[in-house]
Amino acid sequence: MKPKQLINLSPFYSTQYGAAYLGDSLKLIKTIPENSINLIVTSPPFALIRQKEYGNESADKYIEWFLPFAYEFKRVLVENGSFVLDVGGAYLRGNPIRSIYQYELLVRLCKEVNFYLAQEFYHYNPSRLPSPAEWVTIRRIRVKDSVNSVWWLSKTPHPKADNRKVLKPYSQSMKNLLKKGYKAKLRPSGHDISDKFQKDNKGAIPPNLLEIANTESNSVYMRRCKQAGIKPHPARFPRGFAEFFIKFLTDENDIVLDPFAGSNTTGFVAETLQRRWMSFEINENYLIGSKYRFNDEGNS
């Protein structure tokens, strides 16, 4: 069963593995049967001081706006499914101090919606420009903000996950250690490093700090949007982010949902990884542009 058969609606477009739908995601998700989605991975509009063209709530209204979505996310997830939420921070208006809305949101997602916090991640984007300019580049009293909070939430304490699918290449020092061997000993920190430490596991377990630059200036998506005279989505999801969590938390033929699809990076990555997918987006122009990710070049 393809994802487009989960709901009795016509998709804006569909592919071999998935479908994108135009409309209000809160209304669309209510048509999805409960316990049918394996992974929800999304980056909704952040609670920023300045209003963005893609629409965003202020920090003081954000949680109440988001919670109705969260209840639906929990309803449609399978029992061992996961919900990955990428949330950016914000400064309070007129002051060089931070809002804590993303932490308040996390508490309410766990205390009220009854999600479990499987693990917190941090998405580090080294290419992000210094902002806000008033505090960072003009008065020089703050440093560049380059990290988003990422909450990995689940319906149970034991969601499906396998870090062997997201191993990183070994460092040169680890390669040397595997080649030359390592003498088991007790480290000054008290950790007992046994001879199992030199076992070749085909890669290193990644940390919960994900360093993924968001630089997409010459992709197929960007070029095709330009050729068609369509403005690209201004806050595009980096492909590596979606790829990490889809590999980590799903198997082939599982269903991935992005309820705030934007340029539909999540759907495209799910397609390349042979996961079934559904994407919701309220802005028709963004969906029109997102179709350009799915082309014969297969590179976005």
Side-chain angles (χ1 to χ4, degrees):
M1 181 175 63
K2 287 188 176 182
K4 59 187 177 185
Q5 296 174 319
L6 283 177
I7 59 179
N8 188 28
L9 296 171
S10 297
F12 191 80
Y13 64 85
S14 60
T15 64
Q16 180 179 356
Y17 288 98
Y21 296 83
L22 173 65
D24 183 337
S25 59
L26 189 56
K27 294 178 180 179
L28 290 171
I29 199 170
K30 290 180 185 295
T31 67
I32 298 178
E34 63 182 28
N35 302 315
S36 57
I37 303 295
N38 300 94
L39 171 64
I40 298 171
V41 56
T42 194
S43 182
F46 299 159
L48 304 176
I49 294 174
R50 294 183 180 178
Q51 188 72 23
K52 299 293 185 179
E53 65 182 69
Y54 48 78
N56 56 289
E57 293 290 342
S58 60
D60 59 339
K61 298 178 181 178
Y62 193 88
I63 296 174
E64 299 307 323
W65 168 78
F66 191 83
L67 283 180
F69 293 95
Y71 281 104
E72 290 298 320
F73 296 163
K74 189 166 186 285
R75 181 186 67 81
V76 301
L77 279 175
V78 298
E79 200 63 18
N80 66 349
S82 291
F83 166 34
V84 176
L85 177 64
D86 176 69
V87 188
Y91 279 84
L92 296 182
R93 186 179 297 277
N95 287 286
I97 52 176
R98 305 281 283 178
S99 166
I100 59 171
Y101 86 95
Q102 68 267 48
Y103 305 107
E104 293 176 322
L105 175 61
L106 174 63
V107 170
R108 294 188 66 177
L109 288 172
C110 294
K111 295 292 186 180
E112 294 182 26
V113 188
N114 294 321
F115 275 113
Y116 292 94
L117 176 62
Q119 193 169 15
E120 67 274 28
F121 283 76
Y122 299 94
H123 174 203
Y124 167 51
N125 178 7
S127 64
R128 186 178 293 180
L129 296 174
S131 66
E134 175 69 19
W135 314 125
V136 179
T137 61
I138 299 175
R139 299 197 191 188
R140 299 292 185 110
I141 57 175
R142 295 294 183 269
V143 298
K144 183 171 72 169
D145 181 18
S146 298
V147 177
N148 285 353
S149 299
V150 181
W151 312 132
W152 169 23
L153 302 160
S154 59
K155 291 178 70 169
T156 73
H158 301 283
K160 178 195 290 187
D162 187 351
N163 67 28
R164 290 168 294 190
K165 297 179 180 178
V166 288
L167 296 178
K168 297 176 60 178
Y170 282 131
S171 65
Q172 189 57 51
S173 60
M174 184 62 186
K175 291 178 181 177
N176 293 337
L177 184 149
L178 291 171
K179 183 178 180 179
K180 298 177 181 179
Y182 179 84
K183 184 178 180 180
K185 62 181 179 180
L186 187 68
R187 297 184 65 178
S189 63
H191 287 96
D192 186 7
I193 307 300
S194 69
D195 54 8
K196 294 181 181 179
F197 186 72
Q198 56 189 326
K199 179 183 178 182
D200 187 353
N201 291 304
K202 309 305 180 183
I205 296 172
N208 63 343
L209 176 66
L210 304 177
E211 182 175 349
I212 305 170
N214 197 357
T215 53
E216 188 188 22
S217 60
N218 193 38
S219 66
V220 170
Y221 166 75
M222 295 292 284
R223 294 198 304 271
R224 292 288 300 276
C225 283
K226 184 177 180 180
Q227 291 167 5
I230 294 175
K231 188 175 182 181
H233 193 282
R236 297 174 299 280
F237 219 23
R239 177 174 175 173
F241 183 93
E243 190 173 77
F244 176 87
F245 285 105
I246 292 174
K247 285 182 175 180
F248 180 34
L249 302 175
T250 67
D251 299 314
E252 287 188 8
N253 290 317
D254 280 353
I255 302 179
V256 180
L257 169 67
D258 188 342
F260 304 99
S263 66
N264 202 15
T265 305
T266 300
F268 174 77
V269 172
E271 184 85 11
T272 62
L273 296 175
Q274 298 182 3
R275 270 66 164 175
R276 295 180 290 166
W277 60 269
M278 301 176 69
S279 292
F280 299 155
E281 175 53 48
I282 199 169
N283 186 306
E284 185 173 358
N285 284 332
Y286 294 158
L287 270 189
I288 292 173
S290 74
K291 290 177 68 174
Y292 298 139
R293 293 196 181 278
F294 303 86
N295 55 67
D296 293 336
E297 294 182 61
N299 181 19
S300 179

